[in-house]
């Protein structure tokens, strides 16, 4: 069952008339607190530039790679396949790009436009192996659906 409290909180954040970076920070903070997750990042997908760029993050430190090529990392698979990539042990994933040295698992949830093309991503990481079960994944996917307009309105 979805966490309606988190989804309601995200709706309230998106409905406010705030600058996009401020809204993104509030979104990241709300998702991280609901997990509770150690770190959450929101990213834009820039096809023309061939880059994925961080909009905002919530956690103890800025991401190691605030921007990186669209063809690299776990994120590249989420974008190319248009589906969530949930890696329970990043050390065993040859495509993993380091978020933090202590990261053990990471999940990338793409935000898709009406044509099912990734326009953004939710990136959530943990210091625990296999941190994202089916329920966590389903909730993060609900968040991505709810946040589609946040990304669409930026285009």
């Amino acid at each position: 069952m979805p966490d309606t409290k988190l989804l309601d909180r995200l709706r309230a954040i998106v409905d406010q008339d705030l600058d996009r970076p401020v809204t993104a920070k509030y979104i990241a903070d709300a998702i991280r607190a609901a997990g509770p997750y150690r770190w959450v990042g929101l990213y834009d997908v820039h096809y023309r530039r061939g880059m994925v760029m961080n909009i905002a993050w919530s956690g103890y430190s800025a991401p190691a790679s605030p921007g990186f090529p669209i063809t690299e990392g776990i994120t590249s698979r989420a974008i190319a396949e248009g589906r969530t990539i949930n890696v329970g042990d990043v050390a065993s994933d040859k495509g993993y790009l380091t978020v933090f040295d202590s990261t053990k698992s990471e999940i990338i949830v793409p935000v898709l436009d009406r044509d099912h093309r990734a326009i953004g991503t939710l990136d959530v990481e943990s210091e625990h192996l296999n941190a994202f079960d089916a329920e966590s994944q389903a909730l993060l996917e609900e968040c991505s659906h709810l946040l589609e307009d946040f990304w669409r309105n930026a285009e």
Side-chain angles (χ1 to χ4, degrees), residues 4 9 24 30 32 34 39 48 85 92 112 127 133 144 147 149:
T4 57
R9 175 75 182 120
R32 187 173 70 87
W39 191 87
R48 280 184 238 137
I85 303 295
S92 68
L112 306 175
E127 71 278 22
D133 60 13
S144 79
L147 296 169
D149 285 343

Side-chain angles (χ1 to χ4, degrees), residues 66-146:
F68 54 91
I70 202 169
T71 56
E72 293 183 7
I74 299 167
T75 299
S76 70
R77 294 198 314 261
I79 292 168
E81 298 173 21
R83 67 176 183 88
T84 298
I85 303 295
N86 185 346
V87 179
D89 181 2
V90 297
S92 68
D93 191 290
K94 63 182 178 178
Y96 173 69
L97 289 177
T98 301
V99 177
F100 304 106
D101 291 338
S102 59
T103 299
K104 300 284 192 254
S105 59
E106 185 169 12
I107 187 169
I108 308 292
V109 182
V111 178
L112 306 175
D113 67 10
R114 289 180 179 98
D115 297 323
H116 303 286
R117 185 172 112 149
I119 53 178
T121 65
L122 303 178
D123 181 342
V124 184
E125 71 84 35
S126 175
E127 71 278 22
H128 302 289
L129 290 171
N130 303 307
F132 308 104
D133 60 13
E135 188 176 323
S136 299
Q137 181 170 327
L139 175 59
L140 292 169
E141 289 170 345
E142 279 292 314
C143 291
S144 79
H145 295 305
L146 187 142

